[in-house]
Amino acid sequence: MDMGVVRSAVISNDVVKVEITPTYSGCPAMDVIGDDIKAALKAAGYASEIELILSPAWTTDWITPRGRKALEDYGIAAPLGPEADKDVLLNGKRIVKCTNCGSQNTRLVSQFGSTACKAQFQCDDCQEPFDYFKCLK
Amino acid sequence: MTTTEQNIDQKLIPILEKVSDPRNSCIINHGYGRGAFGSH
């Protein structure tokens, strides 16, 4: 929910109807997310239907402050704004903070990280590799 | 906590939050450079 991927979840005729929106179209994680939601609802005694909603497109603005903190706590740098993102990804400016030590002495390793919505960074102070969640708007 | 555009039945929030837990989220579990997905 804090990622903004779950757009709605309402109970209708004893069935929970859940709408989810991918972070980007074709995200391979959506089937797993849907299955995880179905399993959690089933464990709580609810039948459910999952619907994939592509419009409006997901944006990183939908990540809640708690979601951003959860990302950072887990070791994924939360998205900066769109202009800062261009500076970081295209001009190599050192703005993204290392999620391990907090240093801004970090560099882009790859435009794509472990998923297409993230980029791979490394901290030049503590050497920790980490993902940066790209700004999508 | 939800974004303003979300429409989530209050009764379902505790259930869905379990799925949102970073330790359970497949979005995040693929992170930290050890993911199931590479550059594409």
Side-chain angles (χ1 to χ4, degrees):
Chain A
M1 284 192 320
D2 285 313
M3 290 297 292
V5 166
V6 177
R7 302 312 305 153
S8 73
V10 294
I11 303 170
S12 174
N13 298 324
D14 294 329
V15 175
V16 179
K17 297 190 175 177
V18 182
E19 293 180 334
I20 55 177
T21 295
T23 55
Y24 64 96
S25 58
C27 172
M30 295 315 291
D31 284 345
V32 180
I33 291 173
D35 288 347
D36 286 352
I37 291 170
K38 282 193 104 153
L41 289 168
K42 188 178 179 185
Y46 292 102
S48 62
E49 294 172 3
I50 310 291
E51 187 175 357
L52 196 64
I53 303 293
L54 298 177
S55 179
W58 184 85
T59 158
T60 41
D61 288 346
W62 290 358
I63 304 175
T64 66
R66 194 169 74 169
R68 292 177 65 89
K69 184 176 183 310
L71 285 170
E72 299 270 354
D73 288 348
Y74 198 77
I76 298 171
L80 303 165
E83 290 306 314
D85 222 48
K86 283 180 195 166
D87 281 343
V88 167
L89 297 173
L90 300 179
N91 302 322
K93 282 203 179 167
R94 298 194 173 212
I95 304 173
V96 179
K97 275 189 185 174
C98 171
T99 54
N100 185 50
C101 72
S103 167
Q104 285 190 343
N105 188 21
T106 63
R107 63 186 162 83
L108 177 70
V109 174
S110 170
Q111 292 281 356
F112 297 98
S114 54
T115 59
C117 53
K118 290 176 284 186
Q120 181 80 54
F121 275 74
Q122 183 165 15
C123 178
D124 280 339
D125 282 336
C126 73
Q127 306 302 317
E128 183 77 2
F130 63 96
D131 270 343
Y132 164 65
F133 207 114
K134 296 172 203 167
C135 179
L136 300 174
K137 291 183 85 96
Chain B
M1 191 179 292
T2 62
T3 58
T4 52
E5 299 86 354
Q6 286 170 307
N7 175 28
I8 297 173
D9 190 308
Q10 294 293 311
K11 279 190 293 189
L12 301 173
I13 287 177
I15 302 164
L16 294 171
E17 280 194 331
K18 286 181 194 167
V19 183
S20 278
D21 187 316
R23 289 165 295 186
N24 298 331
S25 167
C26 60
I27 292 177
I28 296 174
N29 274 344
H30 295 313
Y32 228 61
R34 295 190 290 266
F37 304 103
S39 58
H40 52 268

